[in-house]
Amino acid sequence: MQMRVSTASRYSQTALEAPAAVSVVTAEDIRVFGYRHLGEVLASMRGLYVSYDRSYHYLGLRGFATPGDYNTRVLLLVNGVRFNDNLYDLAAIGTDFPIDLDLVERVEFVPGPGSAVYGANALFGVINVITRNGRDLSGPQVSAEAGSHGAARLRFSLGTVDRHGGDWLVALTRSTTRGADHYYPSFDTPATHHGMAQGLDHDRSTQLFARWSRDGLGLTLAHGERHKGVPTAAFSQVFNDARSRITDTSTRLAAEYATDLSPRLSFSGRIHAGRYRFVGDYVYDYPPVTLNHDVSTGQWWGTEWQWVSTALARHKLSWGMDYRRDASIRQRNFDAEAQSMPYLDTQRSGHALGVFVQDEFALRPDITLHAGVRWGRQSGNAGAWHPRLGLVYWWNPHTALKVLHGTAFRAANAYERDYRVDIPGGVVDTAPIRPERVRTTELALEHATGGSTRLLVTVFRSVVKDLITLADAPVPDRLTFQNARGVHVHGLEAEAEQRFGPQARLRAVYGWQRARDAATQAALTNSPEHLLKLQWSDALPGTAGSPWAASRYAVEAVGMGPRYTLQGRRLPAHVVTNLTVSMRWAQVDASFGIYNLLDRRYADPASFEIREEAIRQNGRTYRVKLTYRF
């Protein structure tokens, strides 16, 4: 219950000590509840919800989920290394995330602005995915699964420790889904098979992950490729054309080193590099019917240094710097038959630099002040200072009251700045785009005993200025990026977790948030006021003392209040219930999951580039999974 976390301050501390209300999902939670991708992990956390438009999964944070935003307002880390690309600032949380969940030790989420610690993109929160070590897998593993709509996955992994103490983990995963046919009322004509998109929801991905570590040194490789059909005819495409698809390819390399320079001074440093490539095959009827290619590639490298000192009495001082070089960002759009006459061909480079310092100052044995500030600058934008303050009052050894305040910013990314294509469904220019900024204040009361109980209540208020949004342009059938009016968000969250013995656990989470346009007081699109999440897990009856003693069953219910679409339609509230049974015997793990157990019909609001108001989600689906440990 007092788990150690590393994301809130960039060094290890207990969740009670951290200047944030941190959420954590462990590898055991992932196994017991049968989560299939990172988006499902995040959807189980306090204040978060996920939408899906049959192309990407989008993360909503405390009632804020702007249509057309590729998760740019949350910073995604893997083992502390930035995973947002330098093209779209995309935080991949669906099948495009390049790491198999079986390789994840835990996922930490820190809500609120994190720019004082991490810089850009940490507008509403920071996600840190911590991967497992080779010794955790202890040898070769083979995992296979099958499910509804032709879903199948095969993973081979090897985890070991060599005779020199080096920890090795290598894994290769291949996934495929045929997908279901989908009905879209806006395209209901005889010429379009009465609105049925047939065979276009397929999803095929490959993931390669390798990690080696020894004596504070670590090397990591993560590579992912995903090919996804687009059944929605997004961006004004011809409906139900089998050539409509998108491809995401990403590669990340990282080297890190951590050591104690003295008993009171530690150092950690990283060097990382990445490449992301997006290819969109879009079918338009200009006329004639033409295949259009949208190709974007980004390459970057960076470094991070941090020192942590406890040399001064009652102070834990940390300081450091981050630098990222955007070596190349290129965006192209052209018709397949006329590559020499592109609609768009832009290329740029740039950099981002930040320096930070923070202090954890024990004012009294029961009061700790967390104060930090960061100066950061990105190409094309002026430098800016971003402070963070946190006061933690220890009511008793198991209860802490936290007062938190911080600011954050996000400058327009390369896609928002440069992507201008004057074709149907394209983006045209209007006015210069200013960086968006947020200021958040939060009060949290957190209680965690050593073993069985955890309680948390938090209230918060955020003010967002110059929000960057995708909107309809004055030109018909065109879109544009612009700075919208300010947004005010305030709310309350409560979480309770109770363990009953070694196996049984009950967890309940409720969130109320109110996100409004500052000028009109109108509710934001895709912004539910209420979120309710219930989880119960326990040992399978009759397995105590048997070889199946580690077997569990788990029930999870995720409820979401009504949401508005861009056209003002109010989508009804819904509750989705999942049931998972996981069994473990000797070297074999088996899991059976039923998702949307009660077959509820519900839909997520669509973005501007999709003709439909809402995208209907899957009904009841199944998954069977087997893992053998050699």
Side-chain angles (χ1 to χ4, degrees), residues 570-615:
R570 190 172 186 261
L571 300 179
H574 67 269
V575 177
V576 175
T577 305
N578 305 321
L579 171 65
T580 305
V581 177
S582 55
M583 295 170 285
R584 175 170 290 173
W585 180 67
Q587 287 108 339
V588 178
D589 285 352
S591 175
F592 176 69
I594 308 176
Y595 303 87
N596 196 355
L597 175 67
L598 304 179
D599 200 22
R600 297 298 188 191
R601 293 190 176 188
Y602 70 102
D604 290 332
S607 185
F608 287 94
E609 70 271 15
I610 297 175
R611 182 190 280 188
E612 300 295 320
E613 265 191 285
I615 304 299

mmCIF file of all heavy atoms in Angstrom, residues 570-615:
data_model
loop_
_atom_site.group_PDB
_atom_site.id
_atom_site.type_symbol
_atom_site.label_atom_id
_atom_site.label_comp_id
_atom_site.label_asym_id
_atom_site.label_seq_id
_atom_site.Cartn_x
_atom_site.Cartn_y
_atom_site.Cartn_z
ATOM 1 N N ARG A 570 -25.969 14.533 -27.066
ATOM 2 C CA ARG A 570 -25.618 14.020 -25.737
ATOM 3 C C ARG A 570 -25.651 12.500 -25.753
ATOM 4 O O ARG A 570 -26.708 11.887 -25.869
ATOM 5 C CB ARG A 570 -26.576 14.566 -24.685
ATOM 6 C CG ARG A 570 -26.186 14.292 -23.240
ATOM 7 C CD ARG A 570 -27.132 15.072 -22.327
ATOM 8 N NE ARG A 570 -26.742 14.978 -20.935
ATOM 9 C CZ ARG A 570 -27.298 14.151 -20.051
ATOM 10 N NH1 ARG A 570 -28.268 13.320 -20.449
ATOM 11 N NH2 ARG A 570 -26.905 14.140 -18.790
ATOM 12 N N LEU A 571 -24.463 11.884 -25.655
ATOM 13 C CA LEU A 571 -24.376 10.433 -25.613
ATOM 14 C C LEU A 571 -24.717 9.949 -24.207
ATOM 15 O O LEU A 571 -24.259 10.534 -23.220
ATOM 16 C CB LEU A 571 -22.982 9.962 -25.999
ATOM 17 C CG LEU A 571 -22.495 10.344 -27.407
ATOM 18 C CD1 LEU A 571 -21.083 9.821 -27.630
ATOM 19 C CD2 LEU A 571 -23.443 9.806 -28.465
ATOM 20 N N PRO A 572 -25.508 8.895 -24.064
ATOM 21 C CA PRO A 572 -25.926 8.449 -22.727
ATOM 22 C C PRO A 572 -24.773 7.853 -21.922
ATOM 23 O O PRO A 572 -23.754 7.425 -22.472
ATOM 24 C CB PRO A 572 -26.989 7.387 -23.030
ATOM 25 C CG PRO A 572 -26.646 6.895 -24.403
ATOM 26 C CD PRO A 572 -26.081 8.065 -25.139
ATOM 27 N N ALA A 573 -24.970 7.820 -20.623
ATOM 28 C CA ALA A 573 -23.998 7.170 -19.729
ATOM 29 C C ALA A 573 -23.969 5.667 -19.996
ATOM 30 O O ALA A 573 -24.919 5.097 -20.539
ATOM 31 C CB ALA A 573 -24.364 7.452 -18.278
ATOM 32 N N HIS A 574 -22.867 5.044 -19.610
ATOM 33 C CA HIS A 574 -22.762 3.602 -19.814
ATOM 34 C C HIS A 574 -21.827 2.996 -18.767
ATOM 35 O O HIS A 574 -21.003 3.696 -18.172
ATOM 36 C CB HIS A 574 -22.243 3.279 -21.228
ATOM 37 C CG HIS A 574 -20.829 3.697 -21.460
ATOM 38 N ND1 HIS A 574 -20.489 4.941 -21.963
ATOM 39 C CD2 HIS A 574 -19.645 3.045 -21.246
ATOM 40 C CE1 HIS A 574 -19.180 5.031 -22.051
ATOM 41 N NE2 HIS A 574 -18.643 3.908 -21.618
ATOM 42 N N VAL A 575 -21.988 1.693 -18.565
ATOM 43 C CA VAL A 575 -21.112 0.923 -17.685
ATOM 44 C C VAL A 575 -20.661 -0.312 -18.446
ATOM 45 O O VAL A 575 -21.487 -1.045 -18.991
ATOM 46 C CB VAL A 575 -21.828 0.499 -16.384
ATOM 47 C CG1 VAL A 575 -20.905 -0.360 -15.527
ATOM 48 C CG2 VAL A 575 -22.293 1.721 -15.601
ATOM 49 N N VAL A 576 -19.349 -0.525 -18.494
ATOM 50 C CA VAL A 576 -18.783 -1.698 -19.148
ATOM 51 C C VAL A 576 -18.183 -2.598 -18.074
ATOM 52 O O VAL A 576 -17.378 -2.147 -17.255
ATOM 53 C CB VAL A 576 -17.713 -1.303 -20.183
ATOM 54 C CG1 VAL A 576 -17.047 -2.546 -20.770
ATOM 55 C CG2 VAL A 576 -18.339 -0.465 -21.296
ATOM 56 N N THR A 577 -18.575 -3.870 -18.087
ATOM 57 C CA THR A 577 -18.117 -4.832 -17.087
ATOM 58 C C THR A 577 -17.261 -5.901 -17.746
ATOM 59 O O THR A 577 -17.630 -6.443 -18.794
ATOM 60 C CB THR A 577 -19.317 -5.496 -16.390
ATOM 61 O OG1 THR A 577 -20.163 -4.486 -15.842
ATOM 62 C CG2 THR A 577 -18.857 -6.429 -15.285
ATOM 63 N N ASN A 578 -16.116 -6.199 -17.153
ATOM 64 C CA ASN A 578 -15.204 -7.225 -17.651
ATOM 65 C C ASN A 578 -15.012 -8.315 -16.588
ATOM 66 O O ASN A 578 -14.964 -8.015 -15.385
ATOM 67 C CB ASN A 578 -13.850 -6.625 -18.004
ATOM 68 C CG ASN A 578 -13.965 -5.479 -18.996
ATOM 69 O OD1 ASN A 578 -14.768 -5.539 -19.920
ATOM 70 N ND2 ASN A 578 -13.176 -4.432 -18.796
ATOM 71 N N LEU A 579 -14.879 -9.547 -17.033
ATOM 72 C CA LEU A 579 -14.634 -10.676 -16.138
ATOM 73 C C LEU A 579 -13.412 -11.438 -16.637
ATOM 74 O O LEU A 579 -13.329 -11.769 -17.824
ATOM 75 C CB LEU A 579 -15.842 -11.613 -16.103
ATOM 76 C CG LEU A 579 -15.654 -12.956 -15.384
ATOM 77 C CD1 LEU A 579 -15.406 -12.755 -13.896
ATOM 78 C CD2 LEU A 579 -16.867 -13.859 -15.614
ATOM 79 N N THR A 580 -12.469 -11.701 -15.742
ATOM 80 C CA THR A 580 -11.253 -12.424 -16.103
ATOM 81 C C THR A 580 -10.989 -13.520 -15.083
ATOM 82 O O THR A 580 -11.086 -13.293 -13.874
ATOM 83 C CB THR A 580 -10.040 -11.476 -16.154
ATOM 84 O OG1 THR A 580 -10.313 -10.398 -17.042
ATOM 85 C CG2 THR A 580 -8.803 -12.212 -16.644
ATOM 86 N N VAL A 581 -10.646 -14.700 -15.563
ATOM 87 C CA VAL A 581 -10.215 -15.813 -14.720
ATOM 88 C C VAL A 581 -8.802 -16.176 -15.138
ATOM 89 O O VAL A 581 -8.550 -16.479 -16.305
ATOM 90 C CB VAL A 581 -11.146 -17.028 -14.868
ATOM 91 C CG1 VAL A 581 -10.628 -18.199 -14.032
ATOM 92 C CG2 VAL A 581 -12.566 -16.673 -14.454
ATOM 93 N N SER A 582 -7.857 -16.114 -14.200
ATOM 94 C CA SER A 582 -6.463 -16.435 -14.494
ATOM 95 C C SER A 582 -6.023 -17.575 -13.587
ATOM 96 O O SER A 582 -6.292 -17.570 -12.380
ATOM 97 C CB SER A 582 -5.566 -15.215 -14.286
ATOM 98 O OG SER A 582 -5.720 -14.686 -12.995
ATOM 99 N N MET A 583 -5.348 -18.548 -14.173
ATOM 100 C CA MET A 583 -4.912 -19.743 -13.440
ATOM 101 C C MET A 583 -3.415 -19.952 -13.630
ATOM 102 O O MET A 583 -2.882 -19.669 -14.706
ATOM 103 C CB MET A 583 -5.692 -20.970 -13.921
ATOM 104 C CG MET A 583 -7.176 -20.893 -13.623
ATOM 105 S SD MET A 583 -8.139 -22.194 -14.442
ATOM 106 C CE MET A 583 -8.151 -21.562 -16.119
ATOM 107 N N ARG A 584 -2.783 -20.440 -12.601
ATOM 108 C CA ARG A 584 -1.337 -20.690 -12.649
ATOM 109 C C ARG A 584 -1.064 -22.049 -12.020
ATOM 110 O O ARG A 584 -1.479 -22.324 -10.889
ATOM 111 C CB ARG A 584 -0.574 -19.592 -11.921
ATOM 112 C CG ARG A 584 0.923 -19.820 -11.817
ATOM 113 C CD ARG A 584 1.624 -18.567 -11.301
ATOM 114 N NE ARG A 584 1.610 -17.506 -12.303
ATOM 115 C CZ ARG A 584 2.026 -16.260 -12.066
ATOM 116 N NH1 ARG A 584 2.429 -15.924 -10.852
ATOM 117 N NH2 ARG A 584 2.000 -15.364 -13.036
ATOM 118 N N TRP A 585 -0.371 -22.892 -12.772
ATOM 119 C CA TRP A 585 -0.017 -24.225 -12.276
ATOM 120 C C TRP A 585 1.331 -24.608 -12.865
ATOM 121 O O TRP A 585 1.510 -24.646 -14.083
ATOM 122 C CB TRP A 585 -1.072 -25.250 -12.691
ATOM 123 C CG TRP A 585 -0.761 -26.633 -12.212
ATOM 124 C CD1 TRP A 585 -0.743 -27.067 -10.921
ATOM 125 C CD2 TRP A 585 -0.416 -27.757 -13.022
ATOM 126 N NE1 TRP A 585 -0.402 -28.402 -10.861
ATOM 127 C CE2 TRP A 585 -0.203 -28.849 -12.151
ATOM 128 C CE3 TRP A 585 -0.261 -27.949 -14.396
ATOM 129 C CZ2 TRP A 585 0.167 -30.113 -12.596
ATOM 130 C CZ3 TRP A 585 0.102 -29.211 -14.848
ATOM 131 C CH2 TRP A 585 0.306 -30.282 -13.958
ATOM 132 N N ALA A 586 2.299 -24.830 -11.952
ATOM 133 C CA ALA A 586 3.665 -25.191 -12.380
ATOM 134 C C ALA A 586 4.172 -24.132 -13.365
ATOM 135 O O ALA A 586 4.245 -22.956 -13.031
ATOM 136 C CB ALA A 586 3.690 -26.591 -12.972
ATOM 137 N N GLN A 587 4.508 -24.563 -14.598
ATOM 138 C CA GLN A 587 5.058 -23.617 -15.579
ATOM 139 C C GLN A 587 4.018 -23.012 -16.505
ATOM 140 O O GLN A 587 4.369 -22.365 -17.484
ATOM 141 C CB GLN A 587 6.110 -24.318 -16.447
ATOM 142 C CG GLN A 587 7.403 -24.590 -15.711
ATOM 143 C CD GLN A 587 7.580 -26.059 -15.393
ATOM 144 O OE1 GLN A 587 6.629 -26.810 -15.362
ATOM 145 N NE2 GLN A 587 8.810 -26.452 -15.142
ATOM 146 N N VAL A 588 2.736 -23.241 -16.229
ATOM 147 C CA VAL A 588 1.694 -22.816 -17.152
ATOM 148 C C VAL A 588 0.826 -21.732 -16.514
ATOM 149 O O VAL A 588 0.372 -21.874 -15.374
ATOM 150 C CB VAL A 588 0.820 -24.010 -17.579
ATOM 151 C CG1 VAL A 588 -0.309 -23.546 -18.508
ATOM 152 C CG2 VAL A 588 1.667 -25.073 -18.259
ATOM 153 N N ASP A 589 0.604 -20.633 -17.275
ATOM 154 C CA ASP A 589 -0.389 -19.613 -16.933
ATOM 155 C C ASP A 589 -1.495 -19.671 -17.971
ATOM 156 O O ASP A 589 -1.215 -19.737 -19.177
ATOM 157 C CB ASP A 589 0.217 -18.207 -16.936
ATOM 158 C CG ASP A 589 1.077 -17.956 -15.711
ATOM 159 O OD1 ASP A 589 1.082 -18.801 -14.806
ATOM 160 O OD2 ASP A 589 1.749 -16.910 -15.680
ATOM 161 N N ALA A 590 -2.730 -19.644 -17.504
ATOM 162 C CA ALA A 590 -3.878 -19.627 -18.416
ATOM 163 C C ALA A 590 -4.815 -18.507 -17.993
ATOM 164 O O ALA A 590 -4.972 -18.223 -16.799
ATOM 165 C CB ALA A 590 -4.609 -20.963 -18.402
ATOM 166 N N SER A 591 -5.421 -17.856 -18.977
ATOM 167 C CA SER A 591 -6.312 -16.746 -18.687
ATOM 168 C C SER A 591 -7.483 -16.770 -19.663
ATOM 169 O O SER A 591 -7.302 -17.027 -20.862
ATOM 170 C CB SER A 591 -5.561 -15.409 -18.799
ATOM 171 O OG SER A 591 -6.440 -14.318 -18.628
ATOM 172 N N PHE A 592 -8.673 -16.496 -19.140
ATOM 173 C CA PHE A 592 -9.865 -16.388 -19.976
ATOM 174 C C PHE A 592 -10.587 -15.110 -19.591
ATOM 175 O O PHE A 592 -10.899 -14.894 -18.422
ATOM 176 C CB PHE A 592 -10.787 -17.586 -19.779
ATOM 177 C CG PHE A 592 -12.077 -17.477 -20.551
ATOM 178 C CD1 PHE A 592 -12.079 -17.548 -21.936
ATOM 179 C CD2 PHE A 592 -13.281 -17.295 -19.888
ATOM 180 C CE1 PHE A 592 -13.270 -17.439 -22.644
ATOM 181 C CE2 PHE A 592 -14.465 -17.204 -20.592
ATOM 182 C CZ PHE A 592 -14.459 -17.265 -21.981
ATOM 183 N N GLY A 593 -10.824 -14.241 -20.575
ATOM 184 C CA GLY A 593 -11.460 -12.966 -20.298
ATOM 185 C C GLY A 593 -12.684 -12.742 -21.164
ATOM 186 O O GLY A 593 -12.712 -13.096 -22.341
ATOM 187 N N ILE A 594 -13.718 -12.171 -20.544
ATOM 188 C CA ILE A 594 -14.908 -11.715 -21.261
ATOM 189 C C ILE A 594 -14.989 -10.203 -21.063
ATOM 190 O O ILE A 594 -15.095 -9.722 -19.925
ATOM 191 C CB ILE A 594 -16.196 -12.384 -20.749
ATOM 192 C CG1 ILE A 594 -16.047 -13.910 -20.739
ATOM 193 C CG2 ILE A 594 -17.388 -11.982 -21.614
ATOM 194 C CD1 ILE A 594 -17.265 -14.620 -20.156
ATOM 195 N N TYR A 595 -14.945 -9.457 -22.151
ATOM 196 C CA TYR A 595 -14.926 -7.996 -22.100
ATOM 197 C C TYR A 595 -16.283 -7.462 -22.558
ATOM 198 O O TYR A 595 -16.865 -7.962 -23.519
ATOM 199 C CB TYR A 595 -13.802 -7.454 -22.970
ATOM 200 C CG TYR A 595 -12.449 -8.006 -22.563
ATOM 201 C CD1 TYR A 595 -11.987 -9.213 -23.097
ATOM 202 C CD2 TYR A 595 -11.664 -7.369 -21.616
ATOM 203 C CE1 TYR A 595 -10.762 -9.749 -22.707
ATOM 204 C CE2 TYR A 595 -10.443 -7.891 -21.215
ATOM 205 C CZ TYR A 595 -9.998 -9.084 -21.762
ATOM 206 O OH TYR A 595 -8.794 -9.620 -21.378
ATOM 207 N N ASN A 596 -16.769 -6.443 -21.851
ATOM 208 C CA ASN A 596 -18.147 -5.969 -22.034
ATOM 209 C C ASN A 596 -19.099 -7.142 -21.820
ATOM 210 O O ASN A 596 -19.890 -7.521 -22.689
ATOM 211 C CB ASN A 596 -18.346 -5.344 -23.417
ATOM 212 C CG ASN A 596 -19.612 -4.508 -23.499
ATOM 213 O OD1 ASN A 596 -20.404 -4.453 -22.549
ATOM 214 N ND2 ASN A 596 -19.816 -3.861 -24.637
ATOM 215 N N LEU A 597 -19.008 -7.702 -20.637
ATOM 216 C CA LEU A 597 -19.713 -8.929 -20.276
ATOM 217 C C LEU A 597 -21.214 -8.849 -20.552
ATOM 218 O O LEU A 597 -21.830 -9.807 -21.024
ATOM 219 C CB LEU A 597 -19.469 -9.222 -18.789
ATOM 220 C CG LEU A 597 -20.199 -10.407 -18.161
ATOM 221 C CD1 LEU A 597 -19.688 -11.716 -18.744
ATOM 222 C CD2 LEU A 597 -20.022 -10.375 -16.639
ATOM 223 N N LEU A 598 -21.826 -7.703 -20.287
ATOM 224 C CA LEU A 598 -23.272 -7.546 -20.435
ATOM 225 C C LEU A 598 -23.662 -7.036 -21.814
ATOM 226 O O LEU A 598 -24.834 -6.724 -22.053
ATOM 227 C CB LEU A 598 -23.806 -6.600 -19.350
ATOM 228 C CG LEU A 598 -23.488 -7.018 -17.905
ATOM 229 C CD1 LEU A 598 -24.034 -5.996 -16.918
ATOM 230 C CD2 LEU A 598 -24.050 -8.399 -17.616
ATOM 231 N N ASP A 599 -22.695 -6.939 -22.725
ATOM 232 C CA ASP A 599 -22.935 -6.557 -24.118
ATOM 233 C C ASP A 599 -23.630 -5.193 -24.221
ATOM 234 O O ASP A 599 -24.596 -5.012 -24.966
ATOM 235 C CB ASP A 599 -23.766 -7.624 -24.825
ATOM 236 C CG ASP A 599 -23.640 -7.543 -26.343
ATOM 237 O OD1 ASP A 599 -22.639 -6.990 -26.824
ATOM 238 O OD2 ASP A 599 -24.556 -8.014 -27.039
ATOM 239 N N ARG A 600 -23.127 -4.213 -23.476
ATOM 240 C CA ARG A 600 -23.700 -2.874 -23.503
ATOM 241 C C ARG A 600 -23.360 -2.174 -24.819
ATOM 242 O O ARG A 600 -22.243 -2.255 -25.304
ATOM 243 C CB ARG A 600 -23.174 -2.033 -22.344
ATOM 244 C CG ARG A 600 -23.563 -2.563 -20.973
ATOM 245 C CD ARG A 600 -25.068 -2.559 -20.787
ATOM 246 N NE ARG A 600 -25.446 -2.892 -19.415
ATOM 247 C CZ ARG A 600 -26.675 -3.172 -19.030
ATOM 248 N NH1 ARG A 600 -27.658 -3.171 -19.915
ATOM 249 N NH2 ARG A 600 -26.926 -3.468 -17.771
ATOM 250 N N ARG A 601 -24.326 -1.453 -25.367
ATOM 251 C CA ARG A 601 -24.092 -0.647 -26.557
ATOM 252 C C ARG A 601 -23.721 0.773 -26.138
ATOM 253 O O ARG A 601 -24.463 1.413 -25.385
ATOM 254 C CB ARG A 601 -25.336 -0.610 -27.441
ATOM 255 C CG ARG A 601 -25.686 -1.953 -28.065
ATOM 256 C CD ARG A 601 -26.765 -1.795 -29.105
ATOM 257 N NE ARG A 601 -27.047 -3.046 -29.793
ATOM 258 C CZ ARG A 601 -27.835 -3.144 -30.855
ATOM 259 N NH1 ARG A 601 -28.432 -2.049 -31.336
ATOM 260 N NH2 ARG A 601 -28.042 -4.308 -31.433
ATOM 261 N N TYR A 602 -22.584 1.236 -26.601
ATOM 262 C CA TYR A 602 -22.149 2.595 -26.280
ATOM 263 C C TYR A 602 -21.237 3.091 -27.395
ATOM 264 O O TYR A 602 -20.759 2.318 -28.228
ATOM 265 C CB TYR A 602 -21.439 2.649 -24.928
ATOM 266 C CG TYR A 602 -20.087 1.985 -24.880
ATOM 267 C CD1 TYR A 602 -18.921 2.744 -24.923
ATOM 268 C CD2 TYR A 602 -19.954 0.597 -24.799
ATOM 269 C CE1 TYR A 602 -17.670 2.140 -24.881
ATOM 270 C CE2 TYR A 602 -18.727 -0.008 -24.751
ATOM 271 C CZ TYR A 602 -17.578 0.775 -24.794
ATOM 272 O OH TYR A 602 -16.343 0.169 -24.763
ATOM 273 N N ALA A 603 -20.999 4.401 -27.407
ATOM 274 C CA ALA A 603 -20.203 5.018 -28.472
ATOM 275 C C ALA A 603 -19.351 6.134 -27.887
ATOM 276 O O ALA A 603 -19.674 6.702 -26.824
ATOM 277 C CB ALA A 603 -21.104 5.558 -29.577
ATOM 278 N N ASP A 604 -18.255 6.450 -28.569
ATOM 279 C CA ASP A 604 -17.380 7.550 -28.196
ATOM 280 C C ASP A 604 -17.542 8.701 -29.178
ATOM 281 O O ASP A 604 -17.712 8.469 -30.389
ATOM 282 C CB ASP A 604 -15.914 7.100 -28.203
ATOM 283 C CG ASP A 604 -15.593 6.131 -27.079
ATOM 284 O OD1 ASP A 604 -16.271 6.192 -26.032
ATOM 285 O OD2 ASP A 604 -14.670 5.315 -27.244
ATOM 286 N N PRO A 605 -17.480 9.960 -28.717
ATOM 287 C CA PRO A 605 -17.579 11.095 -29.635
ATOM 288 C C PRO A 605 -16.460 11.068 -30.672
ATOM 289 O O PRO A 605 -15.322 10.705 -30.373
ATOM 290 C CB PRO A 605 -17.435 12.309 -28.712
ATOM 291 C CG PRO A 605 -17.862 11.816 -27.362
ATOM 292 C CD PRO A 605 -17.410 10.385 -27.310
ATOM 293 N N ALA A 606 -16.793 11.435 -31.904
ATOM 294 C CA ALA A 606 -15.819 11.449 -32.990
ATOM 295 C C ALA A 606 -15.207 12.834 -33.142
ATOM 296 O O ALA A 606 -15.759 13.839 -32.683
ATOM 297 C CB ALA A 606 -16.483 11.024 -34.294
ATOM 298 N N SER A 607 -14.061 12.884 -33.820
ATOM 299 C CA SER A 607 -13.364 14.135 -34.066
ATOM 300 C C SER A 607 -13.828 14.757 -35.381
ATOM 301 O O SER A 607 -14.668 14.217 -36.100
ATOM 302 C CB SER A 607 -11.859 13.881 -34.098
ATOM 303 O OG SER A 607 -11.164 15.101 -34.232
ATOM 304 N N PHE A 608 -13.254 15.928 -35.714
ATOM 305 C CA PHE A 608 -13.660 16.690 -36.895
ATOM 306 C C PHE A 608 -13.435 15.923 -38.186
ATOM 307 O O PHE A 608 -14.180 16.088 -39.147
ATOM 308 C CB PHE A 608 -12.891 18.019 -36.950
ATOM 309 C CG PHE A 608 -13.333 19.026 -35.938
ATOM 310 C CD1 PHE A 608 -12.694 19.132 -34.719
ATOM 311 C CD2 PHE A 608 -14.396 19.873 -36.192
ATOM 312 C CE1 PHE A 608 -13.093 20.071 -33.777
ATOM 313 C CE2 PHE A 608 -14.814 20.811 -35.254
ATOM 314 C CZ PHE A 608 -14.160 20.911 -34.043
ATOM 315 N N GLU A 609 -12.389 15.104 -38.251
ATOM 316 C CA GLU A 609 -12.045 14.459 -39.513
ATOM 317 C C GLU A 609 -12.943 13.276 -39.851
ATOM 318 O O GLU A 609 -12.815 12.680 -40.915
ATOM 319 C CB GLU A 609 -10.582 14.001 -39.487
ATOM 320 C CG GLU A 609 -10.285 12.845 -38.563
ATOM 321 C CD GLU A 609 -9.925 13.254 -37.163
ATOM 322 O OE1 GLU A 609 -10.185 14.430 -36.804
ATOM 323 O OE2 GLU A 609 -9.385 12.428 -36.418
ATOM 324 N N ILE A 610 -13.877 12.928 -38.956
ATOM 325 C CA ILE A 610 -14.776 11.795 -39.165
ATOM 326 C C ILE A 610 -16.197 12.317 -39.352
ATOM 327 O O ILE A 610 -16.675 13.145 -38.573
ATOM 328 C CB ILE A 610 -14.702 10.820 -37.977
ATOM 329 C CG1 ILE A 610 -13.282 10.235 -37.876
ATOM 330 C CG2 ILE A 610 -15.716 9.701 -38.115
ATOM 331 C CD1 ILE A 610 -13.063 9.354 -36.672
ATOM 332 N N ARG A 611 -16.886 11.818 -40.383
ATOM 333 C CA ARG A 611 -18.230 12.312 -40.675
ATOM 334 C C ARG A 611 -19.222 11.955 -39.576
ATOM 335 O O ARG A 611 -20.137 12.723 -39.266
ATOM 336 C CB ARG A 611 -18.713 11.763 -42.015
ATOM 337 C CG ARG A 611 -20.105 12.283 -42.400
ATOM 338 C CD ARG A 611 -20.679 11.547 -43.595
ATOM 339 N NE ARG A 611 -20.129 12.042 -44.838
ATOM 340 C CZ ARG A 611 -20.585 11.665 -46.042
ATOM 341 N NH1 ARG A 611 -21.560 10.770 -46.124
ATOM 342 N NH2 ARG A 611 -20.042 12.152 -47.141
ATOM 343 N N GLU A 612 -19.085 10.791 -38.969
ATOM 344 C CA GLU A 612 -20.018 10.356 -37.930
ATOM 345 C C GLU A 612 -19.886 11.223 -36.678
ATOM 346 O O GLU A 612 -18.798 11.715 -36.348
ATOM 347 C CB GLU A 612 -19.750 8.901 -37.556
ATOM 348 C CG GLU A 612 -19.901 7.916 -38.693
ATOM 349 C CD GLU A 612 -21.320 7.831 -39.193
ATOM 350 O OE1 GLU A 612 -22.253 7.856 -38.363
ATOM 351 O OE2 GLU A 612 -21.507 7.743 -40.416
ATOM 352 N N GLU A 613 -21.002 11.370 -35.969
ATOM 353 C CA GLU A 613 -20.971 12.074 -34.690
ATOM 354 C C GLU A 613 -20.279 11.247 -33.618
ATOM 355 O O GLU A 613 -19.588 11.776 -32.751
ATOM 356 C CB GLU A 613 -22.397 12.378 -34.232
ATOM 357 C CG GLU A 613 -22.912 13.739 -34.580
ATOM 358 C CD GLU A 613 -24.209 14.029 -33.853
ATOM 359 O OE1 GLU A 613 -25.239 13.477 -34.253
ATOM 360 O OE2 GLU A 613 -24.175 14.804 -32.879
ATOM 361 N N ALA A 614 -20.516 9.943 -33.658
ATOM 362 C CA ALA A 614 -20.009 9.052 -32.610
ATOM 363 C C ALA A 614 -19.605 7.727 -33.241
ATOM 364 O O ALA A 614 -20.174 7.299 -34.248
ATOM 365 C CB ALA A 614 -21.064 8.837 -31.535
ATOM 366 N N ILE A 615 -18.618 7.083 -32.633
ATOM 367 C CA ILE A 615 -18.091 5.806 -33.117
ATOM 368 C C ILE A 615 -18.509 4.710 -32.141
ATOM 369 O O ILE A 615 -18.107 4.711 -30.975
ATOM 370 C CB ILE A 615 -16.558 5.854 -33.240
ATOM 371 C CG1 ILE A 615 -16.132 7.014 -34.133
ATOM 372 C CG2 ILE A 615 -16.036 4.531 -33.784
ATOM 373 C CD1 ILE A 615 -16.656 6.948 -35.545
#
